[in-house]
Amino acid sequence: MCSSDLKNKALLPPLQRALVCARRLARASKSLSATQLDIVARSKSMGLPLFNRIVSDELTLLGDFEGLTAKLTRYVSLSDTTALRRVVLERVAVEFARPPGRDSLLADVLACLLVVPNGLHESELIAASSCPPVTWSLLRTSLAGTVLIFRGELLTLADADVVTVARQLCDAASLERARTALDQHYADSAEREFERLRSELAQWRERSAHAYVRGARAPPLPHSTTRSEERRVGK
């Protein structure tokens, strides 16, 4: 979304901008002062429903309300959702920064979803990004709805606007790491599946031999349970 959308789109009326934001914060048992609600009402950007929702969700995640007015003022000064999402992702990158010398966790997560645009299962994303499950739970909460959405069982980037911001934050090295990690994850998964099938086939042969001796019907063949490979890593 570009800044011209502020002129081209129907904006929420000032009072409704404040009301929508206040109601969303109330769900998290948080509230704004009259002065802060006035900042929301006077902001044209907050008249955009998506922009309003993203800012409101950000405010519910921020634990330090002492600097809330300054943070709110910074958010509403942005003119479009692309700039807003970049600020959100910059905050998340700092909040979930890895130790010095290690690659960015956020960049690795975004890069995985860029190279597999159709989406990944959570287990695939966790494995490829080397994100600890507990950290992933917190990171997913910070990104849910604003950056990441579920399409069925798969996690994807929310929309083309998010893809644009993600590409700005991910360099060639992070994209290559994602491709390598996903290729290795799929190779390891295929190897485990092969070993499982080989073990089950050996058991099937033994059961079939016993069934033949008894004159009984042979048991059904084992079958593969691997997921579809339509979401292979893009090159």
Side-chain angles (χ1 to χ4, degrees), residues 103-104 107-108 111 115 169-181:
D103 300 313
S104 166
D108 284 348
V115 299
L169 296 176
C170 296
D171 57 15
S174 61
L175 292 171
E176 185 57 34
R177 281 198 308 274
R179 292 189 183 98
T180 300

Side-chain angles (χ1 to χ4, degrees), residues 46-115:
M46 291 295 281
L48 296 167
L50 178 59
F51 191 102
N52 193 311
R53 181 178 67 78
I54 294 174
V55 171
S56 300
D57 287 347
E58 271 294 285
L59 297 180
T60 64
L61 292 173
L62 297 175
D64 177 16
F65 262 53
E66 292 181 0
L68 180 60
T69 299
K71 293 170 183 175
L72 175 61
T73 301
R74 182 192 181 196
Y75 286 142
V76 301
S77 68
L78 302 171
S79 59
D80 56 63
T81 56
T82 300
L84 176 60
R85 278 167 161 160
R86 185 176 182 89
V87 169
V88 170
L89 288 174
E90 287 172 350
R91 174 191 65 76
V92 173
V94 172
E95 184 178 345
F96 292 90
R98 282 170 166 162
R102 293 197 60 191
D103 300 313
S104 166
L105 172 59
L106 178 63
D108 284 348
V109 169
L110 295 177
C112 287
L113 293 171
L114 284 174
V115 299

Side-chain angles (χ1 to χ4, degrees), residues 201-221:
L201 185 58
Q203 295 175 27
W204 174 81
R205 287 171 176 164
E206 184 177 352
R207 291 196 300 269
S208 295
H210 288 308
Y212 178 78
V213 171
R214 300 194 310 270
R217 180 180 299 178
L221 277 167

Side-chain angles (χ1 to χ4, degrees), residues 115-118 124 182-183 185-187 189-190 227-235:
V115 299
V116 188
N118 290 336
E124 295 172 330
L182 285 165
D183 279 337
H185 173 72
Y186 289 134
S189 296
R227 295 174 179 140
S228 168
E229 297 188 356
E230 294 177 357
R231 298 178 292 107
R232 277 305 186 199
V233 180
K235 300 297 182 183

Side-chain angles (χ1 to χ4, degrees), residues 90-225:
E90 287 172 350
R91 174 191 65 76
V92 173
V94 172
E95 184 178 345
F96 292 90
R98 282 170 166 162
R102 293 197 60 191
D103 300 313
S104 166
L105 172 59
L106 178 63
D108 284 348
V109 169
L110 295 177
C112 287
L113 293 171
L114 284 174
V115 299
V116 188
N118 290 336
L120 292 167
H121 288 268
E122 281 193 84
S123 59
E124 295 172 330
L125 190 54
I126 291 171
S129 63
S130 300
C131 181
V134 173
T135 302
W136 167 249
S137 179
L138 297 172
L139 179 60
R140 182 183 60 185
T141 299
S142 292
L143 299 178
T146 300
V147 177
L148 303 180
I149 60 172
F150 273 101
R151 299 187 189 280
E153 296 182 353
L154 304 180
L155 267 174
T156 67
L157 296 175
D159 52 38
D161 190 32
V162 175
V163 172
T164 298
V165 177
R167 290 194 179 282
Q168 294 171 354
L169 296 176
C170 296
D171 57 15
S174 61
L175 292 171
E176 185 57 34
R177 281 198 308 274
R179 292 189 183 98
T180 300
L182 285 165
D183 279 337
Q184 186 62 52
H185 173 72
Y186 289 134
D188 292 343
S189 296
E191 180 64 24
R192 288 193 297 270
E193 177 68 5
F194 174 75
E195 290 299 325
R196 182 188 68 80
L197 284 173
R198 185 166 64 175
S199 174
E200 290 187 3
L201 185 58
Q203 295 175 27
W204 174 81
R205 287 171 176 164
E206 184 177 352
R207 291 196 300 269
S208 295
H210 288 308
Y212 178 78
V213 171
R214 300 194 310 270
R217 180 180 299 178
L221 277 167
H223 62 280
S224 172
T225 58

